């Protein structure tokens, strides 16, 4: 709702005194008197924990900073006036994103805003003025002088409209500044009093009605200095320059809170034009039946304000299936309402910059917090989804334009009812976990510019009962939404010192690796073949079976595996076979490897050596590996007289003959204790040659060799005298 951010003038306080005169000797109500004793200090225990206490902005507070174990403020990570970033003891960064600026620029220096009032003495009067803010509010101890707000060229003054009956000025004794210098209490009569306090974009007012006083109308006069006051279709009062469409300020929707928060009520101002673009009369009426209702528990607190409009880092709007929408309202609705139909809320975060975060895996948590305004006791579940419909804006979003039923199926939910909120200090604030959505924004699976959708359950939306919840929008003078994002300040990695190693069976060695930064995260291992290799948690590997295998190391950090590296291990046999010509027989079937004219390899009955060379193989021992040549097949078509070798493909899912220029032709042949041989691949991980049951086609499967192995993986290499195959081979291999 950035379009209409508010210029927070405490309207009600001007309104309060339109019909009351306070006697000088009147005492403060007990609740206000207590405010005067509040000490504006940080407990020593917190100061001890927070060595950077002077750099903690007021909007976050020292108690939160201590509870979250923040160690320093990261101003270099703050990319707008709406952001605050801290780092905690574990190296996690926390970003707070607000819908309004919480910092301002003065003489080229960025400063944190505070809500403190400074005191000045002028002309026999005490003036109260914003101490640390570029939105400056000024008022005196005589509220009849009015409340003045200045921001750049915007100048607004709000004054109470004196009644005929009570036209005397309020006296200085009726103003009571709080000890924390953040509010001033005014007393008009014992039944009615109030407070004026600052907001980050203006100021707010609270009208306190202690009992059924009989008055339900309050009037004030607003001087706009060239701004036009107008009202949109939903009753929101806005201020804009003459001839301009964009609002520069707005009057916040008044809300009445009962003492027990169980019968709160939204109200609407009416206004009259005295001088266009200069002077207007504002009127607030509390319904008489509401004031007399037994469920209206006193004292009542009526809150409102006027605030400067700013480009917000959070935007929100309610869309209604049977009515229009308003991006300027101070309230958001979810559920089903009479005359409006189904109500859903869209919210997005244009001020959120995820570019500095390297990966979605570094986002630890994300949550958005919204405040229930009316706090009805009847519970209703509110779901929060990633929105996947059309791109939208506050000024133009509508049910028909955004594709309202386009949202992610997964969601987080909260049951909203009186007293069921969970945020510290305010039981009516509700935090929704949007971690998976924020990660999706970073990875690209969701669109950050489309934001999130709040909706009621399908049973509520399709039911015949009207029930809804009302939340404060980013245009509310208080209780605005806030986004909290936690992300890792580091991108940990783990790497092997060597990614390719060769070792001999029955030997051990340490797999060295480096974690950067040192000492971060937890290490896990993945072994491609626990029979062939044994691996300790410290990274010592022992080779048992010849072949090619892999070991992966994974770094677990902040709930995710954030880095993986792989080491390929080639295990050589202690005893292999010498170069020579062999027939290769499977012990399980008794059949022999046979080269076929179509370059396939089968298992067949033994053929006489003198018949042809299809079952004769020349095994060339190259040291770490062997190459197996067919002595009966040439690749005459594509490579002339090139020799054909026994090989496989990259995935190791088949065996074949290919010319000697091809890849994946290297094998490890291991001689067992009983003379049997095991044939493993040298280049493809975890693959060995075996018979495939009763099939005539040999296959490659996972290497498994132990005392329980089967004859399917055992082979006999039967040497053949050189003179016996001379007729079948062209002679490029020496006899």
């Amino acid at each position: 709702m950035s379009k209409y951010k508010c210029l927070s003038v405490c309207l009600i306080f001007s309104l309060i005194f339109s019909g009351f005169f306070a006697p000088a000797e009147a005492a403060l109500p007990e609740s206000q008197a207590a405010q005067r004793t509040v000490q504006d200090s940080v407990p020593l225990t917190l100061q001890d924990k927070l060595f950077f206490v002077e750099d903690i902005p007021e909007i976050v507070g020292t108690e939160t900073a201590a509870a979250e174990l923040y160690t320093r403020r990261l101003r270099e990570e703050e990319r707008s006036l709406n952001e605050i970033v801290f780092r905690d003891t574990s190296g996690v960064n926390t970003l707070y994103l607000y819908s309004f600026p919480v910092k301002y620029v003065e003489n080229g220096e960025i400063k944190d805003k505070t809500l403190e009032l400074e005191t000045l003495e002028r002309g026999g009067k005490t003036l109260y003025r914003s101490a640390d803010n570029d939105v400056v509010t000024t008022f005196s101890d005589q509220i009849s002088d009015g409340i003045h707000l200045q921001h750049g060229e915007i100048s607004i003054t709000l004054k109470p409209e004196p009644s005929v009956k009570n036209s005397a000025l309020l006296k200085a004794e009726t103003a009571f500044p709080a000890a924390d210098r953040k509010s001033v209490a005014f007393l008009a009569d014992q039944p009615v009093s109030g407070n004026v306090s600052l907001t980050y974009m203006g100021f707010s007012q609270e009208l306190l009605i202690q009992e059924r006083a009989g008055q339900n109308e309050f009037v004030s006069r607003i001087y706009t200095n060239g701004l036009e006051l107008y009202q949109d279709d939903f009753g929101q009062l806005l201020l804009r320059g003459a001839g301009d469409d964009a609002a520069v300020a707005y009057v916040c929707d008044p809300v009445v809170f009962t003492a027990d928060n169980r019968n709160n009520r939204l109200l609407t101002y009416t206004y009259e034009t005295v001088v266009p673009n200069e002077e207007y009369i504002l009127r607030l009426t509390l319904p008489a039946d509401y004031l007399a209702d037994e469920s209206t528990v006193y004292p009542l607190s009526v809150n409102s304000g006027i605030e400067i409009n700013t480009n917000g880092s959070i935007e929100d709007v309610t869309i209604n299936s049977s009515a229009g929408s308003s991006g300027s309202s101070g309230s958001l609705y979810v559920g089903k309402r009479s005359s409006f139909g189904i109500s859903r809320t869209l919210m997005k975060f244009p001020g959120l910059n995820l570019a500095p975060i390297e990966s979605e895996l570094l986002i630890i948590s994300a949550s958005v917090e919204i405040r229930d305004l009316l706090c009805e006791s009847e519970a209703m579940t509110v779901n929060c989804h990633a929105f996947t419909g059309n791109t939208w804006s506050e000024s133009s979003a509508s049910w028909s334009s955004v594709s309202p039923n386009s949202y992610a199926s997964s969601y987080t939910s909260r049951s909203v009812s009186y007293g069921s909120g969970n945020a510290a200090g305010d039981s009516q604030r509700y935090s929704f976990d949007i971690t998976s959505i924020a990660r999706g924004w970073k990875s690209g699976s969701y669109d950050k510019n489309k934001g999130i959708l709040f909706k009621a359950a399908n049973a509520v939306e399709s039911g015949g009962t009207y029930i809804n919840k009302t939340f404060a929008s980013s245009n509310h003078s208080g209780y605005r939404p806030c986004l909290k994002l936690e992300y890792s300040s580091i991108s940990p990695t783990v790497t092997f010192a060597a990614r390719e190693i060769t070792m001999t069976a029955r030997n051990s060695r340490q797999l060295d690796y480096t974690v950067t930064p040192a000492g971060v995260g937890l290490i896990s291992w993945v072994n491609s073949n626990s029979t062939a290799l044994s691996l300790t948690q410290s990274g010592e590997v022992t080779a048992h079976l010849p072949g090619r295998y892999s070991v992966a190391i994974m770094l677990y950090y902040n709930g995710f595996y954030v880095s993986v590296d792989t080491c390929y291990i080639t295990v050589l046999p202690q005893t292999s076979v010498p170069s020579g010509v062999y027939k290769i027989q499977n012990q399980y079937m008794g059949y022999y490897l046979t080269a076929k004219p179509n370059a396939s390899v089968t298992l067949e009955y033994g053929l006489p050596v003198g018949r042809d060379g299809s079952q004769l193989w020349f095994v060339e021992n190259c040291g770490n590996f062997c190459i197996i040549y067919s002595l009966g097949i040439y690749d005459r078509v594509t490579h002339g007289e090139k020799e054909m070798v026994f090989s496989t493909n990259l995935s190791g899912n088949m065996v074949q003959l290919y010319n000697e220029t091809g890849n994946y032709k290297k094998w490890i042949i291991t001689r067992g204790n009983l003379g049997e041989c095991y044939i493993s691949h040298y280049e493809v991980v975890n693959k060995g040659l075996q018979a495939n049951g009763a099939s005539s086609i040999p296959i490659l499967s996972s290497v498994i060799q132990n005392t329980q192995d089967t004859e399917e993986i055992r082979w006999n290499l039967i040497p053949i005298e050189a003179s016996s195959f001379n007729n079948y081979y062209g002679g490029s291999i020496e006899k």
Side-chain angles (χ1 to χ4, degrees), residues 292-312:
D293 192 333
E294 291 184 359
S295 61
T296 301
V297 180
Y298 288 78
L300 304 182
S301 171
V302 186
N303 290 267
S304 183
I306 306 174
E307 296 198 339
I308 292 291
N309 178 29
T310 182
N311 292 325

Side-chain angles (χ1 to χ4, degrees), residues 267 352 496 555 582 606 657 678 695 717:
L267 302 176
L352 179 61
F496 278 113
L555 181 62
Y582 297 87
L657 291 174
Y678 302 90
S695 172
L717 266 67

Side-chain angles (χ1 to χ4, degrees), residues 1 253 255 266 316 318 329-335 345 347 369-376 380-383 414-417 428-432 454-456 468-476 478-481:
M1 290 227 164
D253 294 333
V255 184
L266 281 173
D316 45 29
T318 300
S329 174
S331 305
L332 302 169
Y333 300 92
V334 176
T345 288
M347 183 178 292
E369 190 177 285
I370 55 178
R371 210 276 189 182
D372 180 16
L373 281 179
L374 300 188
C375 314
E376 300 97 333
M380 188 189 83
T381 298
V382 175
N383 300 330
R414 294 297 309 275
S415 177
V416 178
S417 66
Q428 304 307 322
R429 296 193 75 92
Y430 294 83
S431 180
F432 289 81
F454 294 97
K455 69 180 293 291
N468 73 92
K469 295 298 175 181
T470 305
F471 298 97
S473 78
S474 58
N475 281 344
H476 199 271
Y479 310 130
R480 297 179 182 182

Side-chain angles (χ1 to χ4, degrees), residues 16-29:
I16 293 174
F17 302 105
S18 61
F20 292 91
F21 173 78
E25 67 275 15
L28 275 174

Side-chain angles (χ1 to χ4, degrees), residues 173-308:
E173 296 94 314
T174 61
F176 298 91
D180 62 2
R181 303 187 301 277
K182 294 180 181 178
S183 65
V184 176
F186 289 88
L187 185 65
D189 198 357
Q190 288 187 351
V192 181
S193 60
N195 289 285
V196 174
S197 58
L198 301 182
T199 67
Y200 288 94
M201 294 307 296
F203 65 91
S204 176
Q205 71 282 341
E206 178 188 26
L207 169 61
L208 297 173
I209 303 176
Q210 298 295 329
E211 59 187 59
R212 291 175 173 82
Q215 180 177 353
N216 68 336
E217 186 174 86
F218 304 93
V219 184
S220 65
R221 193 173 293 257
I222 183 170
Y223 300 89
T224 62
N225 193 32
L227 298 178
E228 176 192 2
L229 182 69
Y230 67 102
Q231 197 163 33
D232 69 10
D233 294 338
F234 291 83
Q236 179 73 56
L237 287 176
L238 307 162
L239 291 159
R240 64 187 174 192
D244 293 339
D245 291 331
V248 297
Y250 67 89
V251 180
C252 301
D253 294 333
V255 184
V256 183
F257 296 96
T258 60
D260 61 358
N261 251 331
R262 291 180 179 270
N263 192 28
N264 301 339
R265 182 72 62 89
L266 281 173
L267 302 176
T268 303
Y269 285 109
T270 60
Y271 75 100
E272 304 168 18
T273 302
V274 179
V275 179
N277 303 331
E278 291 293 339
E279 185 178 347
Y280 301 86
I281 293 176
L282 299 179
R283 193 178 307 275
L284 176 65
T285 302
L286 279 66
D289 58 344
Y290 172 76
L291 295 177
D293 192 333
E294 291 184 359
S295 61
T296 301
V297 180
Y298 288 78
L300 304 182
S301 171
V302 186
N303 290 267
S304 183
I306 306 174
E307 296 198 339
I308 292 291

